[in-house]
Each structure stands twice: as C-alpha cells, then as structure tokens.
Amino acid sequence: MVIRMKSLAFPALLIGALEIWARTTGQGSDAIAPPSAALRAFGGAITDGSLFEATAFTLGTAALGLLIGALGGLLLGTLLGLSRRAAQLGFLSVEVARPIPSVALIPLAMLVFGFGLRMELSVVAFACLWPMLVLTQAAVQQVEPRLLEVARALELTPRQRFAWIVGPAIVPRLFVALRLGVAIALVVAVTVEIAANPHGMGYAMMIAQQSLDPALMLAWLAWIGVVGYAINVGALALQRRVARAMGEQAA
C-alpha cells in the first residue's frame, strides 16, 4: 500500500503543477484547462450520460474486434505452427501484411463498410490478428515434439490434438498475446473514432477539441487512460489466476 501511495506522488505533483500553471501563466488558453475544470467537465459527462454511452460503444467494439482477430489468429497460428509446409507457403503473405499499420486500412474499410460499427470492427480485428497469430505460431512450434508424436501414434483427429495436447501447452503464451491484443484493440478503436467513426470515446474527445472545450477534452483523455489501465489490470489478474490454476492442476 505504501509503495502504491508513493507511485501516485509524481502524477499528483504534475496535476498540481498543471493546475497552478493553467490558473496563472496559461490562464485563458484554448488548449490547456486546469485539472479542476476537467473534473467538473467529467462530472457533466456523467450527468448527461454521454460518458457511459461513448465508453460502452468503444469497449464493445474493441472487445468484439479483439474476439474476431484473436480467433482468426489462433486458427491460423495453430495451422502454421503445426504444418511446416503451411508455414513456408504463408510466410511471405504474413510478412507483407503484418507490417501494414491498421489505421492505413481506414479508407478501404470506409469504402467497403461505410461509417459505423462494421468499419471500426474490421480495423480493430486486423490489428489484433497479427500478434495473436505470431505468438500462437511460436507457441505451437515449441510444443514438446514427443507429445505430437504420441498424438500421431494414437491417430488423434486435429480437433483432439488441439484440445488435448496443443491447446493446454500454449495457454500461458495465449494470455500474453491476449494482453497485448487488449491494449491494441483499445488504442486502435479510439484512433478510428478520432479519424473517421462518429461514435465512441475518441469521437467525443475530438468533438470537445473542435468545440474549443479543453476541459472536456482533457477529461476524455484522462478517462481513456483510466479505462486502459483498468483493462490491463484486469487482464493481468486473469492471466495470473489461470496460471495459478494450471500450476495447481499440474501439482
């Protein structure tokens, strides 16, 4: 608890310095508002319901996009990890498509899906696909070869091989990939909303900026940071719980 309190000292110092600067040298600025004004704007967003509506849209889109991307990455990563021939055939395609910035797909997604949920989902899913694919492929390739030989000797079907041998062996790395995917999903979702989609937290922050309301803009920025931190803490707790449960089972 003491360590946690000490970790809050520097952010509190920065907030205090910003409050003093905004009320003295920076008074009347159209870009920076005092944290106290941002807090009042945050309360207003809670009162009018815009905070909950925008947050629900962004988190729902990020979660669904992560689910689609993770499932695709899991399936493709498992296939490429188990089959050397498939990995050789898919190597060039993966290496060419993987470095493409997800936000670069926004114009194409807008042409295909227009504005709205499906456009944002497609970009988020594309961004989340690659870390899941790469880490799943690497995890599958590191499964003990003798276990795979036993599976072939027992003539297990691909589904049985994954459910009984490959799946349990790669669970710890899958959670690492999912933690990375959660962060990517939220960042990409907010970026798409700022750039193109008139919904969610990113759009609300952009509208506040265009309306020359720096207090509300800073309130949204701080809230996005809090949401991201809470999601990361939750994902880390889930990862530790699953790892502990697997350790107890193994014991």
Side-chain angles (χ1 to χ4, degrees), residues 73-155:
L74 178 63
L75 293 175
L76 290 176
T78 302
L79 173 63
L80 297 179
L82 290 175
S83 173
R84 182 174 299 180
R85 183 175 180 81
Q88 292 173 345
L89 292 174
F91 175 79
L92 181 60
S93 299
V94 171
E95 292 305 310
V96 168
R98 185 167 60 90
I100 298 176
S102 56
V103 293
L105 293 181
I106 292 177
L108 177 61
M110 289 177 60
L111 287 175
V112 175
F113 300 110
F115 293 101
L117 177 64
R118 292 189 300 170
M119 183 271 288
E120 187 171 334
L121 273 178
S122 64
V123 180
V124 173
F126 177 85
C128 295
L129 171 69
W130 303 111
M132 196 70 184
L133 186 154
V134 171
L135 291 178
T136 299
Q137 181 181 357
V140 171
Q141 288 174 340
Q142 293 180 12
V143 173
E144 177 59 49
R146 286 176 294 184
L147 294 177
L148 298 178
E149 291 175 4
V150 171
R152 286 191 290 269
L154 295 176
E155 298 183 352

Side-chain angles (χ1 to χ4, degrees), residues 9-36:
F10 185 64
L13 182 63
L14 288 180
I15 291 174
L18 178 60
E19 180 77 23
I20 294 172
W21 181 87
R23 292 190 177 279
T24 55
T25 306
Q27 189 173 12
S29 172
D30 292 332
I32 300 296
S36 57

Side-chain angles (χ1 to χ4, degrees), residues 218-243:
L218 291 177
W220 277 111
L221 180 60
W223 176 242
I224 291 171
V226 170
V227 170
Y229 175 78
I231 291 174
N232 184 65
V233 169
L236 179 59
L238 179 60
Q239 178 183 349
R240 289 174 175 172
R241 183 174 180 180
V242 171

Side-chain angles (χ1 to χ4, degrees), residues 167-172 175 240-251:
I170 66 175
V171 164
F175 271 92
R240 289 174 175 172
R241 183 174 180 180
V242 171
R244 186 165 55 249
M246 292 184 66
E248 292 172 356
Q249 290 175 2

